[in-house]
Amino acid sequence: MMFEDLHENNRLQLAIGLLIGLCFGGFLYIGGVTEYNVILGQLLLTDFTVIKVMLVAVVVGMIGVYAMKSRGMVELHPKPGSIGSTVIGGIIFGMGFAVLGYCPGTVAGAVGHGALDALFGGVTGILVGSGLFAAAYPTLDEKVLSKGVFKSMTIPDALKINPWYVVIPFCILIAAVLAGLEYFGL
Amino acid sequence: MDWTPYIAGAGIGILSWIAFLLSNKPLGCSTAYTRTSGMIERVFRGKKTEEKPYYQKFAPVVDWEWMLVAGVFIGAFITSVAVGGFSFEWVPTLFGDAFGYDTGLRLAVAFAGGILMGLGSRWAGGCTSGHGISGALQLAISSWIAVIVFFLSGIVSAFIIYGVLW
């Protein structure tokens, strides 16, 4: 892995985090995805901006990150998951996504461009929800989160194949979805 | 054709390269709220807060991801001011046109949605950035399942809220 000394430098890392965040916030705003109307438009299937931004980020990110991984420059950090955690948590998240109209990243960007519902409703609600989860965690971890743990971390691991045999088809598939959305004027 | 979603998406993809290379971290946002929630709780309950098992995993301190979320706020602020898009707004127009421009109603709904979002993102171990972008680009199984469930549940919920099917 490259830049290991830099990874250990905590103060510099905070500055890098802030700088990456600044650009991230700028891109989220330019893409339009810090708007409630755009996010709800996606969930109501009338505006496909959110899916476009995400799919393009995934394709560009995937090619670069796997290219660096193939050269031993970076390490992957896939998250473990389970039915109890990923699926049940995902259902709750989706309900929150539709009711709030922002997610944890875009809500911060929305506050940045003056959305006061994002600040006084969204951020405070997310803080309360996170606190409730922390309080319930020991019980949830034992009874729910540990149910149906996924056996593999990544799709190439599960298939036991060279990751590029997955990366390339995924990129082609995503490009086809994007071309389809543009073709139909969505 | 509107190229802005493509420019934004490509920019975020490149930021994820930089995050992996310089910080050995995927982009993600939801743990920043857990840490902040812990910091607030510590003001009232003191050291006992840090003994909670979840705050042992995610200590209530300012870390890389916390700075990232702070950066998202500042970055969107600067960009919106620069392009003349900054404006204070209590009720988004889509919501207001459907349910009325009542600030109290919108804040109550947003607060309820925020609680679900805070619970759900930590329950699922990530959000639209951590699972939806960073996890998906790593081809993580948990993340592809998470992002599909996020959108399916979000679409069903939005259709119910806006009464699309009746």
Side-chain angles (χ1 to χ4, degrees):
Chain A
M1 195 166 42
M2 286 176 81
F3 301 118
E4 286 187 34
D5 291 341
L6 180 62
H7 300 160
E8 303 295 319
N9 186 334
N10 287 334
R11 297 190 93 184
L12 203 50
Q13 282 303 325
L14 293 181
I16 294 171
L18 182 69
L19 282 173
I20 295 175
L22 280 170
C23 300
F24 192 18
F27 285 127
L28 289 172
Y29 178 77
I30 291 167
V33 294
T34 58
E35 293 281 347
Y36 171 94
N37 291 358
V38 173
I39 292 176
L40 257 292
Q42 179 63 69
L43 298 179
L44 293 168
L45 306 178
T46 54
D47 178 335
F48 284 77
T49 306
V50 175
I51 287 292
K52 288 181 193 175
V53 171
M54 289 180 69
L55 290 179
V56 175
V58 167
V59 166
V60 171
M62 189 180 329
I63 294 169
V65 168
Y66 270 96
M68 291 191 291
K69 185 190 170 264
S70 296
R71 287 162 182 73
M73 294 161 69
V74 300
E75 283 173 2
L76 295 186
H77 300 284
K79 294 175 180 182
S82 66
I83 303 289
S85 160
T86 314
V87 177
I88 297 177
I91 292 169
I92 300 168
F93 182 100
M95 289 164 24
F97 205 13
V99 175
L100 172 57
Y102 307 104
C103 53
T106 55
V107 79
V111 174
H113 67 67
L116 298 168
D117 61 326
L119 176 60
F120 295 108
V123 172
T124 52
I126 296 175
L127 291 175
V128 171
S130 303
L132 290 175
F133 183 81
Y137 175 72
T139 315
L140 281 176
D141 192 36
E142 187 190 344
K143 297 204 170 120
V144 184
L145 305 179
S146 53
K147 298 290 180 262
V149 175
F150 304 144
K151 289 194 180 71
S152 307
M153 294 292 268
T154 68
I155 297 167
D157 286 350
L159 301 174
K160 296 190 173 60
I161 54 173
N162 183 315
W164 289 100
Y165 289 114
V166 184
V167 171
I168 293 166
F170 263 68
C171 290
I172 294 170
L173 193 67
I174 291 172
V177 170
L178 290 167
L181 288 174
E182 297 301 337
Y183 179 79
F184 290 107
L186 293 168
Chain B
M1 182 179 154
D2 178 10
W3 283 96
T4 53
Y6 292 85
I7 295 164
I12 294 165
I14 292 169
L15 287 178
S16 72
W17 305 349
I18 298 170
F20 269 98
L21 192 61
L22 298 185
S23 300
N24 190 27
K25 283 188 166 60
L27 298 177
C29 294
S30 56
T31 66
Y33 295 87
T34 295
R35 294 184 197 276
T36 308
S37 191
M39 289 181 227
I40 295 167
E41 194 177 323
R42 190 169 51 195
V43 172
F44 298 101
R45 295 186 62 239
K47 287 276 173 199
K48 280 181 88 174
T49 306
E50 287 167 26
E51 290 163 14
K52 282 191 177 175
Y54 205 59
Y55 295 129
Q56 299 272 320
K57 282 179 73 165
F58 299 102
V61 293
V62 170
D63 73 332
W64 185 90
E65 195 163 311
W66 199 96
M67 294 300 280
L68 185 88
V69 175
V72 168
F73 160 68
I74 302 167
F77 172 72
I78 294 171
T79 315
S80 66
V81 170
V83 302
F86 182 91
S87 67
F88 287 115
E89 181 185 72
W90 284 102
V91 184
T93 53
L94 186 66
F95 185 93
D97 290 347
F99 307 109
Y101 287 84
D102 178 340
T103 301
L105 174 67
R106 173 56 193 153
L107 287 187
V109 169
F111 183 69
I115 291 175
L116 290 169
M117 172 63 60
L119 263 177
S121 58
R122 290 294 82 221
W123 198 308
C127 61
T128 338
S129 324
H131 272 315
I133 295 176
S134 301
L137 73 85
Q138 296 178 74
L139 294 168
I141 290 168
S142 63
S143 297
W144 278 96
I145 293 173
V147 71
I148 291 166
V149 176
F150 289 172
F151 278 91
L152 285 178
S153 167
I155 289 166
V156 169
S157 304
F159 273 45
I160 293 170
I161 294 166
Y162 279 86
V164 171
L165 299 180
W166 56 82

